[in-house]
Amino acid sequence: MILTVTLNTALDVTYTVDALVPHTSHRVGEVTERPGGKGLNVARVLGALGHDSVVTGFAGGPTGDVLRSLLAPLPPRDALVPVAGNTRRTLAVTDRSTGDTTQLNEPGPQVSAAEWAAFLRTYGELLADADAVALCGSLPPGIHVGAYADLVRIARAAAVPVLLDTSGEPLRRGIAARPDLVKPNAEELAQLTGSRDPLRAAGDARRRGAHTVIASLGPDGVLALTPDGVWRAAPPAPVRGNPTGAGDSAVAGLLSALAEGLDWPERLARAVALSTATVLAPTAGEFDAAAYAELLPRIVVEPHTPTP
């Protein structure tokens, strides 16, 4: 079983309009709702890949009820912890004329000390059956900034491989707890280390405590600093589409390949193929299964030698 943690779950609401024009009224052509938050997105992709996954985190209020009702028929098992506050919504407005998406993200509900303690009990129980755990996304109000560092330490004490996918101060503190894997993008690495050179920044992140750093380079694939060497993995050609959820698909690829015992080149190829197939999918946050099958054997994975 693969466990994903989303402390700040969301109900993702997408509006589609013909053209988004500031200071005007718009007629919405299509409205979709789905359970969201990075860890839930990861678990959904894991389910599509045939892996048993469980989602935990927080859900509460009327929005949380809707989220859980939408989650119920999906493959991930629901182990979300109830909170008194109302789960946040994220509103995406997609402009048909340009293909661009404008995102509005609410902050999330206030989490009490008692609710955090209840989550920690659930988390510890779930780790007993987990082959790997992913800690994903932002922290809701009321959760201390070192929360992910605590969760990394608990997973390591249980001998469960742990992947951390967050940003800012939670990432800085989480890395110091020595997670097995972190997956920042180039901007998150720059904020963490002060360097905009991905190789130098990833090396700095490893020295800070991460065993492996997978730096997402957007359409250029990933740069991986692992205990077995440095790798670059990239799609065979640039693609156009909606990148929403591409990073979460990459996390699912890394976790599923880890659970299957694949080597690093195979893990990276799967991650890049899934993220690229997500960009190509007609629905934001999903991956195009046919594109994934076609891309996987064509992903270029090579040992990386820095330019002198």
Side-chain angles (χ1 to χ4, degrees):
M1 177 268 283
I2 298 175
L3 176 64
T4 72
V5 173
T6 311
L7 297 177
N8 209 8
T9 58
L11 179 66
D12 290 342
V13 182
T14 301
Y15 290 165
T16 302
V17 299
D18 289 334
L20 182 61
V21 183
H23 314 299
T24 65
S25 298
H26 296 79
R27 186 175 298 278
V28 177
E30 181 181 353
V31 181
T32 60
E33 293 182 334
R34 67 173 192 164
K38 293 179 72 65
L40 268 69
N41 297 338
V42 170
R44 190 166 51 244
V45 175
L46 286 169
L49 294 172
H51 282 267
D52 180 29
S53 60
V54 175
V55 296
T56 191
F58 297 109
T63 306
D65 291 341
V66 174
L67 183 151
R68 298 185 85 161
S69 69
L70 293 172
L71 185 61
L74 300 178
R77 287 183 281 146
D78 178 354
L80 295 169
V81 175
V83 291
N86 196 34
T87 293
R88 68 185 178 129
R89 294 162 297 176
T90 66
L91 177 62
V93 182
T94 298
D95 183 330
R96 282 199 185 99
S97 66
T98 64
D100 292 336
T101 297
T102 299
Q103 192 89 13
L104 302 172
N105 297 328
E106 295 179 358
Q110 185 80 21
V111 176
S112 70
E115 290 164 343
W116 175 244
F119 166 79
L120 288 177
R121 289 192 294 272
T122 297
Y123 179 66
E125 293 166 359
L126 291 169
L127 281 175
D129 296 319
D131 299 312
V133 58
L135 310 175
C136 303
S138 62
L139 299 176
I143 299 298
H144 63 286
V145 73
Y148 279 135
D150 291 345
L151 299 184
V152 169
R153 293 186 187 100
I154 294 169
R156 287 181 56 79
V160 177
V162 56
L163 181 153
L164 178 62
D165 186 12
T166 188
S167 60
E169 190 62 20
L171 174 62
R172 186 184 308 276
R173 298 202 185 191
I175 281 181
R178 303 187 64 79
D180 295 274
L181 175 63
V182 294
K183 195 209 68 63
N185 60 36
E187 182 60 32
E188 291 163 348
L189 265 180
Q191 291 174 2
L192 175 70
T193 67
S195 174
R196 293 202 168 271
D197 178 276
L199 182 61
R200 178 176 299 174
D204 188 353
R206 282 203 74 200
R207 287 188 292 273
R208 290 167 184 251
H211 289 271
T212 292
V213 178
I214 308 294
S216 174
L217 305 179
D220 294 325
V222 299
L223 172 68
L225 272 68
T226 81
D228 298 327
V230 181
W231 306 85
R232 281 291 303 267
V239 299
R240 293 180 60 85
N242 189 340
T244 301
D248 301 330
S249 292
V251 169
L254 292 168
L255 286 172
S256 62
L258 170 65
E260 294 170 26
L262 303 184
D263 61 21
W264 274 113
E266 292 174 299
R267 295 182 199 181
L268 299 172
R270 180 177 293 185
V272 172
L274 278 170
S275 62
T276 305
T278 300
V279 174
L280 293 169
T283 302
E286 306 293 339
F287 74 92
D288 184 318
Y292 167 64
E294 191 272 334
L295 280 165
L296 183 59
R298 299 175 58 220
I299 300 298
V300 179
V301 183
E302 298 176 329
H304 180 67
T305 302
T307 301

